[in-house]
Amino acid sequence: MFYYYFKSKQDIYIAAMEQYIARQLERKCKIMEDEAVPFDEKLPIFRSMVEEDIQGYMKRFAPQADTSISDTSYKLYDLVHMLGRMIVPYSKFILQGIRENRLNNRFHITEENAEAFATFVLYGAWGMIYNNKFTGNGKPYELESILEITDQLFY
């Protein structure tokens, strides 16, 4: 019956992961984009997105040493998709923090470049954290290290 709706196991997996990602991030992303919620109230929500949602995904679905290349590539695709969903809310969060004088704007972040900056920070941070999980080499970093680096960017 599944193959009536899906062409392969990978298609089933992708659909399930997209649903998981949407469910995990939808409510929190809406809060991140809501200008009525003060920046200081959003900060713990953003950190919970990082700690609970993305780290939760990695704990459940991180590639194992014995997984195939195609399985690993689907898992990496899902992580990239999850990060992609966070770019716009994160850029709005950054801009709000700047407007409310809660973040330092030494990089001259504007409406025009906020999404590019958010993309750079999100993908760079996760590349550092999960480098060892996907490649099996390189130095693994802890979440606290990434938060320390991003704090240096903004505070």
Side-chain angles (χ1 to χ4, degrees):
M1 181 170 157
F2 283 122
Y3 291 110
Y4 179 78
Y5 297 103
F6 301 98
K7 294 178 185 174
S8 66
K9 288 187 274 186
Q10 284 85 7
D11 287 347
I12 296 168
Y13 174 82
I14 289 171
M17 287 299 97
E18 286 176 357
Q19 185 177 25
Y20 170 82
I21 291 166
R23 202 175 357 180
Q24 290 296 99
L25 296 180
E26 184 176 2
R27 181 181 62 80
K28 292 177 183 175
C29 284
K30 283 183 183 177
I31 293 170
M32 296 298 295
E33 293 183 75
D34 186 353
E35 290 285 328
V37 178
F39 177 84
D40 288 337
E41 288 180 30
K42 290 180 182 180
L43 188 57
I45 294 167
F46 177 73
R47 290 204 170 162
S48 81
M49 288 171 72
V50 172
E51 293 177 36
E52 297 168 16
D53 299 328
I54 295 176
Q55 280 197 323
Y57 169 82
M58 288 305 297
K59 285 178 184 172
R60 285 191 224 49
F61 304 109
Q64 305 299 316
D66 61 344
T67 56
S68 70
I69 292 172
S70 64
D71 286 347
T72 300
S73 67
Y74 282 111
K75 291 175 182 181
L76 184 56
Y77 167 83
D78 294 330
L79 180 62
V80 169
H81 182 68
M82 185 180 290
L83 293 174
R85 294 275 312 265
M86 293 175 66
I87 291 169
V88 171
Y90 186 50
S91 64
K92 290 181 179 182
F93 174 64
I94 292 168
L95 289 170
Q96 182 180 4
I98 292 168
R99 279 192 301 275
E100 294 179 11
N101 292 318
R102 304 301 297 149
L103 294 178
N104 182 340
N105 192 15
R106 68 174 176 235
F107 297 109
H108 308 287
I109 301 167
T110 64
E111 294 277 341
E112 291 77 30
N113 65 13
E115 283 188 32
F117 191 81
T119 303
F120 181 79
V121 172
L122 285 171
Y123 284 104
W126 304 124
M128 287 178 64
I129 290 175
Y130 299 116
N131 177 51
N132 193 47
K133 295 208 185 298
F134 285 106
T135 64
N137 59 21
K139 180 181 178 185
Y141 294 88
E142 298 297 322
L143 177 64
E144 292 76 27
S145 302
I146 303 308
L147 294 175
E148 186 178 306
I149 291 168
T150 55
D151 285 350
Q152 289 176 15
L153 292 174
F154 292 116
Y155 298 101

